[in-house]
Amino acid sequence: MKKIISLLAMVLAIQSFAQSYAKVEVGPEEDISLKIPTDFISMTDQDRMKRIYSSKVPLAQFANENQDVTLGVNYNIMRWTEKDTDLVYGFYKASVNNLFDEIEFIQDEIKEINGRKFIIFEFVSTVKNDNAFSGSRAAKNYTYIQYTSYNNQVLLFNFGCRARQMGTYQTIAKEIMNSIEIDD
């Protein structure tokens, strides 16, 4: 009986730490849906401009309460159809590799999710600071990016946090990315 009570207590404790999700719909016609953690909030334009350096306003940008974990949905006007996936994969892999001083891929593949082909890059990256007077060290980050063809353009999903937070957020990032559904 004590074993059963202990097991039940452990299951309840694990469930209390389980992440809860909410389904959100984004895009011009809200035809892109994904699950995000319920404690993530939509970033304001001001918050987004402080954290994300881009001239283009994303379709959606979310963050946790501390805004040190972000999830973005964006697009690129580069022409791409699903038959070009292998070619686009090589282009994006080279681009990702050139952005960082060091990169360690966890996932690097083309995979079908919910009936759609995605290019997936999951990695830990390092950007070194060569300025001896800045007082800051190298930045190490965990990133999970997925690209897919959408209306003959590139649709991308980007999850990011500090590498030290990876243990907390890697499973959550995978849950989000595997929940993506697109109606076109």
Side-chain angles (χ1 to χ4, degrees):
M1 183 67 162
K2 286 183 182 180
K3 286 183 181 181
I4 293 173
I5 292 172
S6 295
L7 182 61
L8 184 59
M10 188 169 63
V11 168
L12 291 174
I14 289 170
Q15 285 182 336
S16 70
F17 290 111
Q19 180 66 54
S20 58
Y21 295 89
K23 184 176 180 178
V24 295
E25 295 176 341
V26 299
E29 297 173 22
E30 296 189 341
D31 48 356
I32 303 161
S33 68
L34 64 156
K35 295 188 314 187
I36 65 168
T38 54
D39 61 342
F40 273 39
I41 56 171
S42 186
M43 292 177 77
T44 66
D45 288 341
Q46 185 178 358
D47 290 336
R48 183 185 51 77
M49 290 186 331
K50 285 181 201 173
R51 297 249 324 132
I52 316 297
Y53 305 105
S54 175
S55 60
K56 199 170 23 166
V57 176
L59 296 173
Q61 189 74 42
F62 305 96
N64 67 344
E65 185 179 332
N66 298 331
Q67 296 201 359
D68 57 353
V69 180
T70 60
L71 169 66
V73 181
N74 213 336
Y75 67 95
N76 184 320
I77 60 170
M78 182 177 98
R79 305 303 278 169
W80 174 22
T81 62
E82 194 169 292
K83 67 179 175 42
D84 299 325
T85 299
D86 291 335
L87 177 67
V88 173
Y89 164 83
F91 173 77
Y92 275 113
K93 179 153 186 192
S95 296
V96 167
N97 273 314
N98 286 324
L99 289 173
F100 308 102
D101 294 315
E102 296 173 12
I103 190 164
E104 180 184 328
F105 284 97
I106 300 163
Q107 279 192 86
D108 168 12
E109 64 184 337
I110 298 170
K111 180 176 160 185
E112 188 169 308
I113 300 170
N114 296 323
R116 177 178 286 279
K117 277 187 178 179
F118 284 88
I119 295 170
I120 301 169
F121 298 120
E122 180 185 13
F123 55 89
V124 175
S125 63
T126 303
V127 176
K128 296 177 182 170
N129 185 351
D130 293 331
N131 182 347
F133 301 103
S134 73
S136 62
R137 300 180 308 194
K140 217 171 175 175
N141 293 305
Y142 166 72
T143 304
Y144 195 128
I145 301 176
Q146 287 188 173
Y147 304 89
T148 192
S149 172
Y150 174 73
N151 292 336
N152 294 322
Q153 294 181 340
V154 178
L155 182 61
L156 62 107
F157 301 83
N158 184 358
F159 183 96
C161 64
R162 295 285 183 202
R164 69 178 180 274
Q165 297 170 296
M166 182 177 150
T168 303
Y169 286 101
Q170 184 176 24
T171 302
I172 293 169
K174 288 180 183 194
E175 183 77 24
I176 292 167
M177 296 303 189
N178 285 317
S179 75
I180 296 168
E181 294 181 359
I182 302 166
D183 300 323
D184 44 356

Coordinates of all heavy atoms in Angstrom, one line a residue, residues 31-77:
D31 N -4.2 30.8 -40.7 CA -4.2 29.4 -41.2 C -3.0 28.7 -40.7 O -2.8 27.5 -41.2 CB -4.3 29.4 -42.7 CG -3.3 30.4 -43.4 OD1 -2.6 31.1 -42.7 OD2 -3.3 30.4 -44.6
I32 N -2.2 29.2 -39.8 CA -1.1 28.6 -39.2 C -1.4 28.4 -37.7 O -1.7 29.4 -37.0 CB 0.2 29.4 -39.4 CG1 0.4 29.7 -40.9 CG2 1.4 28.7 -38.7 CD1 1.4 30.8 -41.1
S33 N -1.3 27.2 -37.2 CA -1.6 27.0 -35.8 C -0.5 26.2 -35.1 O 0.2 25.4 -35.8 CB -3.0 26.3 -35.6 OG -2.9 25.0 -36.0
L34 N -0.3 26.5 -33.9 CA 0.7 25.8 -33.1 C 0.4 26.0 -31.6 O -0.4 26.9 -31.2 CB 2.1 26.3 -33.3 CG 2.5 27.8 -33.0 CD1 4.0 27.9 -32.8 CD2 2.0 28.7 -34.1
K35 N 0.9 25.0 -30.8 CA 0.7 25.1 -29.4 C 1.9 25.9 -28.8 O 3.0 25.6 -29.1 CB 0.6 23.7 -28.8 CG -0.6 22.9 -29.2 CD -0.7 21.6 -28.5 CE 0.5 20.8 -28.3 NZ 0.3 19.5 -27.7
I36 N 1.5 26.8 -27.8 CA 2.6 27.5 -27.1 C 2.3 27.3 -25.6 O 1.2 27.1 -25.2 CB 2.7 29.0 -27.5 CG1 1.5 29.7 -27.1 CG2 3.0 29.1 -29.0 CD1 1.6 31.2 -27.2
P37 N 3.4 27.4 -24.8 CA 3.2 27.3 -23.4 C 2.2 28.4 -22.9 O 2.3 29.6 -23.4 CB 4.6 27.5 -22.8 CG 5.5 27.0 -23.9 CD 4.8 27.5 -25.2
T38 N 1.4 28.1 -22.0 CA 0.4 29.1 -21.5 C 1.0 30.3 -20.8 O 0.4 31.3 -20.7 CB -0.7 28.4 -20.6 OG1 0.0 27.8 -19.5 CG2 -1.6 27.5 -21.3
D39 N 2.3 30.1 -20.3 CA 2.9 31.3 -19.7 C 3.7 32.1 -20.7 O 4.3 33.1 -20.3 CB 3.9 30.8 -18.6 CG 5.0 29.9 -19.0 OD1 4.9 29.3 -20.1 OD2 6.0 29.7 -18.3
F40 N 3.6 31.8 -22.0 CA 4.2 32.7 -23.0 C 3.2 33.8 -23.3 O 2.0 33.5 -23.4 CB 4.6 31.9 -24.3 CG 5.9 31.2 -24.2 CD1 6.4 30.6 -23.1 CD2 6.7 31.2 -25.4 CE1 7.7 30.0 -23.1 CE2 7.9 30.5 -25.4 CZ 8.4 30.0 -24.2
I41 N 3.7 35.0 -23.6 CA 2.9 36.1 -24.0 C 3.3 36.6 -25.4 O 4.5 36.5 -25.7 CB 2.9 37.2 -22.9 CG1 4.4 37.7 -22.7 CG2 2.3 36.8 -21.6 CD1 4.5 38.9 -21.8
S42 N 2.4 37.3 -26.0 CA 2.8 37.9 -27.3 C 3.6 39.1 -27.0 O 3.3 39.9 -26.1 CB 1.5 38.3 -28.0 OG 1.8 38.8 -29.3
M43 N 4.7 39.3 -27.7 CA 5.7 40.4 -27.5 C 5.1 41.7 -28.1 O 4.6 41.6 -29.2 CB 7.0 40.1 -28.1 CG 7.8 39.0 -27.3 SD 9.4 38.6 -28.1 CE 10.4 39.9 -27.5
T44 N 5.2 42.8 -27.4 CA 4.9 44.1 -28.0 C 5.9 44.4 -29.0 O 7.0 43.9 -29.0 CB 4.8 45.1 -26.9 OG1 6.1 45.3 -26.4 CG2 3.9 44.8 -25.8
D45 N 5.6 45.4 -29.9 CA 6.6 45.8 -30.9 C 7.8 46.4 -30.2 O 8.9 46.1 -30.6 CB 6.0 46.9 -31.8 CG 4.9 46.4 -32.7 OD1 4.9 45.2 -33.0 OD2 4.1 47.2 -33.3
Q46 N 7.7 47.1 -29.1 CA 8.8 47.6 -28.4 C 9.7 46.5 -27.8 O 10.9 46.6 -27.9 CB 8.3 48.5 -27.2 CG 9.4 49.2 -26.5 CD 8.9 50.2 -25.4 OE1 7.7 50.3 -25.2 NE2 9.8 50.8 -24.7
D47 N 9.1 45.5 -27.2 CA 9.8 44.4 -26.7 C 10.6 43.6 -27.8 O 11.7 43.3 -27.7 CB 8.9 43.4 -25.9 CG 8.4 43.9 -24.6 OD1 9.0 44.9 -24.1 OD2 7.3 43.5 -24.2
R48 N 9.9 43.4 -28.9 CA 10.4 42.7 -30.0 C 11.6 43.5 -30.6 O 12.7 42.9 -30.8 CB 9.4 42.5 -31.1 CG 9.9 41.7 -32.3 CD 8.8 41.7 -33.4 NE 8.3 43.0 -33.8 CZ 9.0 43.9 -34.6 NH1 10.2 43.6 -35.0 NH2 8.4 45.0 -34.9
M49 N 11.6 44.8 -30.7 CA 12.7 45.6 -31.2 C 13.9 45.6 -30.3 O 15.0 45.7 -30.8 CB 12.2 47.0 -31.6 CG 11.2 47.0 -32.8 SD 10.7 48.5 -33.5 CE 10.7 49.7 -32.2
K50 N 13.7 45.4 -29.0 CA 14.8 45.3 -28.1 C 15.6 44.0 -28.2 O 16.8 43.9 -28.0 CB 14.3 45.4 -26.6 CG 13.9 46.8 -26.2 CD 13.5 46.7 -24.7 CE 12.6 47.9 -24.3 NZ 12.1 47.7 -23.0
R51 N 14.8 42.9 -28.6 CA 15.4 41.6 -28.5 C 15.7 41.0 -29.9 O 16.7 40.2 -30.1 CB 14.4 40.6 -27.9 CG 14.2 40.9 -26.4 CD 14.7 39.9 -25.5 NE 14.7 38.5 -25.9 CZ 15.8 37.7 -25.8 NH1 16.9 38.2 -25.3 NH2 15.7 36.5 -26.2
I52 N 14.9 41.3 -30.9 CA 15.1 40.7 -32.2 C 15.5 41.8 -33.2 O 14.8 42.8 -33.4 CB 13.7 40.1 -32.7 CG1 13.0 39.3 -31.6 CG2 13.9 39.3 -34.0 CD1 13.7 38.1 -31.1
Y53 N 16.6 41.6 -33.9 CA 17.1 42.5 -34.9 C 16.6 42.1 -36.3 O 17.2 41.3 -36.9 CB 18.6 42.6 -34.8 CG 19.1 42.9 -33.4 CD1 19.6 42.0 -32.6 CD2 18.9 44.2 -32.9 CE1 20.0 42.2 -31.3 CE2 19.3 44.5 -31.6 CZ 19.9 43.5 -30.8 OH 20.2 43.8 -29.5
S54 N 15.5 42.8 -36.7 CA 15.0 42.5 -38.1 C 14.2 43.7 -38.6 O 13.5 44.4 -37.8 CB 14.1 41.3 -38.0 OG 13.5 41.1 -39.3
S55 N 14.3 44.0 -39.8 CA 13.6 45.1 -40.4 C 12.1 44.7 -40.7 O 11.3 45.5 -41.0 CB 14.3 45.6 -41.7 OG 14.3 44.5 -42.6
K56 N 11.9 43.4 -40.7 CA 10.6 42.8 -41.0 C 9.8 42.5 -39.7 O 10.3 41.8 -38.8 CB 10.8 41.6 -41.8 CG 9.6 41.2 -42.6 CD 10.0 40.1 -43.6 CE 11.2 39.3 -43.3 NZ 11.4 38.1 -44.0
V57 N 8.6 42.9 -39.7 CA 7.7 42.5 -38.5 C 7.3 41.1 -38.7 O 6.8 40.7 -39.7 CB 6.5 43.4 -38.5 CG1 5.5 43.0 -37.4 CG2 6.8 44.9 -38.3
P58 N 7.5 40.2 -37.7 CA 7.2 38.8 -37.8 C 5.7 38.6 -37.8 O 4.9 39.5 -37.4 CB 7.8 38.2 -36.5 CG 7.9 39.3 -35.5 CD 8.1 40.5 -36.4
L59 N 5.2 37.4 -38.2 CA 3.8 37.1 -38.2 C 3.4 37.0 -36.7 O 2.2 37.3 -36.4 CB 3.6 35.8 -38.9 CG 3.8 35.8 -40.4 CD1 3.7 34.4 -41.0 CD2 2.9 36.7 -41.1
A60 N 4.3 36.5 -35.9 CA 4.0 36.4 -34.4 C 5.3 36.2 -33.7 O 6.3 35.7 -34.2 CB 3.1 35.1 -34.1
Q61 N 5.3 36.8 -32.5 CA 6.5 36.7 -31.6 C 6.1 36.6 -30.2 O 5.3 37.4 -29.7 CB 7.4 37.9 -31.8 CG 8.8 37.8 -31.1 CD 9.7 36.9 -31.9 OE1 9.8 37.0 -33.1 NE2 10.4 36.1 -31.2
F62 N 6.5 35.5 -29.5 CA 6.1 35.2 -28.2 C 7.4 35.1 -27.3 O 8.5 34.8 -27.8 CB 5.3 33.9 -28.1 CG 4.1 33.8 -29.0 CD1 4.2 33.2 -30.3 CD2 2.9 34.4 -28.6 CE1 3.1 33.2 -31.1 CE2 1.8 34.3 -29.4 CZ 1.9 33.7 -30.7
A63 N 7.2 35.2 -26.0 CA 8.3 35.1 -25.0 C 7.7 34.7 -23.7 O 6.5 34.9 -23.4 CB 9.0 36.4 -24.9
N64 N 8.6 34.1 -22.9 CA 8.2 33.8 -21.5 C 8.2 35.1 -20.7 O 8.5 36.2 -21.2 CB 9.1 32.7 -20.9 CG 10.5 33.3 -20.7 OD1 11.0 34.3 -21.2 ND2 11.3 32.6 -19.9
E65 N 7.8 35.0 -19.5 CA 7.6 36.2 -18.6 C 8.9 37.0 -18.6 O 8.9 38.3 -18.6 CB 7.2 35.8 -17.2 CG 6.9 37.0 -16.3 CD 6.4 36.5 -15.0 OE1 5.9 35.4 -14.8 OE2 6.6 37.3 -14.0
N66 N 10.1 36.4 -18.4 CA 11.3 37.1 -18.3 C 11.9 37.6 -19.7 O 12.9 38.2 -19.8 CB 12.4 36.2 -17.7 CG 12.0 35.8 -16.3 OD1 11.3 36.6 -15.6 ND2 12.5 34.6 -15.9
Q67 N 11.2 37.1 -20.7 CA 11.6 37.4 -22.1 C 13.0 36.9 -22.5 O 13.7 37.5 -23.3 CB 11.4 38.9 -22.4 CG 10.0 39.3 -22.3 CD 9.6 40.6 -23.1 OE1 10.5 41.2 -23.7 NE2 8.4 40.9 -23.1
D68 N 13.5 35.9 -21.8 CA 14.8 35.3 -22.1 C 14.6 34.0 -23.0 O 15.6 33.4 -23.3 CB 15.6 35.1 -20.9 CG 15.0 34.2 -19.9 OD1 13.8 33.8 -20.0 OD2 15.6 33.8 -18.9
V69 N 13.3 33.7 -23.2 CA 13.0 32.5 -24.1 C 12.0 33.1 -25.1 O 11.0 33.6 -24.7 CB 12.4 31.3 -23.3 CG1 12.1 30.2 -24.2 CG2 13.3 30.9 -22.2
T70 N 12.3 32.9 -26.4 CA 11.5 33.4 -27.4 C 11.0 32.4 -28.5 O 11.7 31.4 -28.7 CB 12.1 34.6 -28.2 OG1 13.3 34.1 -28.8 CG2 12.4 35.8 -27.2
L71 N 9.9 32.7 -29.1 CA 9.4 31.8 -30.2 C 8.8 32.8 -31.2 O 8.0 33.6 -30.9 CB 8.3 30.9 -29.6 CG 7.4 30.2 -30.7 CD1 8.3 29.2 -31.4 CD2 6.2 29.5 -30.1
G72 N 9.4 32.6 -32.4 CA 8.9 33.5 -33.5 C 8.4 32.7 -34.7 O 8.8 31.6 -35.0
V73 N 7.4 33.3 -35.4 CA 6.9 32.8 -36.6 C 7.1 33.9 -37.7 O 6.6 35.0 -37.5 CB 5.4 32.4 -36.5 CG1 4.9 31.9 -37.9 CG2 5.1 31.5 -35.4
N74 N 7.8 33.6 -38.7 CA 8.1 34.6 -39.7 C 8.1 34.0 -41.1 O 7.9 32.8 -41.3 CB 9.5 35.3 -39.4 CG 9.5 36.7 -39.8 OD1 8.8 37.2 -40.6 ND2 10.4 37.4 -39.1
Y75 N 8.4 34.9 -42.1 CA 8.4 34.4 -43.5 C 9.5 35.1 -44.2 O 10.1 36.1 -43.7 CB 7.0 34.7 -44.2 CG 6.8 36.2 -44.3 CD1 7.2 36.8 -45.5 CD2 6.3 37.0 -43.3 CE1 7.0 38.2 -45.7 CE2 6.1 38.3 -43.4 CZ 6.5 38.9 -44.6 OH 6.3 40.3 -44.7
N76 N 9.9 34.5 -45.3 CA 10.9 35.1 -46.2 C 10.3 35.0 -47.6 O 9.7 34.0 -48.0 CB 12.2 34.2 -46.1 CG 13.3 34.8 -46.9 OD1 13.2 35.3 -48.0 ND2 14.5 34.7 -46.3
I77 N 10.5 36.1 -48.4 CA 9.9 36.1 -49.7 C 10.6 35.3 -50.7 O 10.2 35.2 -51.9 CB 9.7 37.6 -50.2 CG1 11.1 38.3 -50.3 CG2 8.8 38.3 -49.3 CD1 11.1 39.6 -51.0

